[in-house]
Amino acid sequence: MPIIVNGLPRSIPEDPRMSLLDLLREGLHLSGTKKGCNQGACGACTVLVDGERILSCLALAVQYDGRRVTTIEGLVQGDALHPLQQAFIDHDGFQCGYCTPGQICSAIGMAAEAERGVPSHISADLAADRVALTREEIQERMSGNLCRCGAYNGIVDAIAGTVGAEMAA
Ligand code: FES
Ligand code: FES
């Protein structure tokens, strides 16, 4: 069974040691997903698998046989940017941009987690059906995505103004 990347079926690599990140970047030339630390510490390589955020540097591509992978390239809607991509521009949520694809994919997965009531370390109600995305919740839930440029205020503003606003509705 192929791996589905941004809606297209792709062959899994012959080498079972290849990470999902290397398949995306080296095999499929989808360079939007970034390699930062390559050891699970920075979040730059975050992609969505069946809607859940994962670190693609820690994932073997062969594990994702038959799964649906979405990268930053797969978020555009026709010629239009995803609302979160636009929000990062509007709120100056980046400087060099290296962490940005991971930040955006992570934020989308993070919002889905909050929507289904997955608590964070700071959530007061562990049994809530849905967690409102306050700035504090966003900061906590996005803490695995580092930004060496320190654009955190803009990043949180962008997320709070899009997926956070939807969650508050
Ligand atoms: Fe994957 Fe840093 S490159 S977490
Ligand atoms: Fe440069 Fe985040 S914008 S690392």
Side-chain angles (χ1 to χ4, degrees), residues 93-100 103 146-151 155:
F94 58 90
Q95 187 173 326
C96 77
Y98 200 82
C99 71
T100 313
Q103 300 277 3
L146 306 184
C147 176
R148 294 288 297 269
C149 298
I155 291 169

Side-chain angles (χ1 to χ4, degrees), residues 29-48:
H29 307 295
L30 292 170
S31 57
T33 306
K34 298 295 186 261
K35 182 179 282 188
C37 63
N38 206 27
Q39 57 182 17
C42 75
C45 65
T46 306
V47 297
L48 298 164

Side-chain angles (χ1 to χ4, degrees), residues 38-99:
N38 206 27
Q39 57 182 17
C42 75
C45 65
T46 306
V47 297
L48 298 164
V49 175
D50 295 326
E52 298 214 19
R53 54 181 174 169
I54 67 153
L55 298 173
S56 61
C57 71
L58 294 185
L60 293 174
V62 292
Q63 292 176 275
Y64 293 88
D65 210 4
R67 308 283 299 276
R68 304 187 72 84
V69 177
T70 304
T71 69
I72 192 74
E73 291 92 342
L75 294 180
V76 288
Q77 300 160 352
D79 289 336
L81 294 176
H82 185 282
L84 200 50
Q85 291 176 305
Q86 186 61 51
F88 268 66
I89 295 171
D90 295 342
H91 292 278
D92 285 334
F94 58 90
Q95 187 173 326
C96 77
Y98 200 82
C99 71

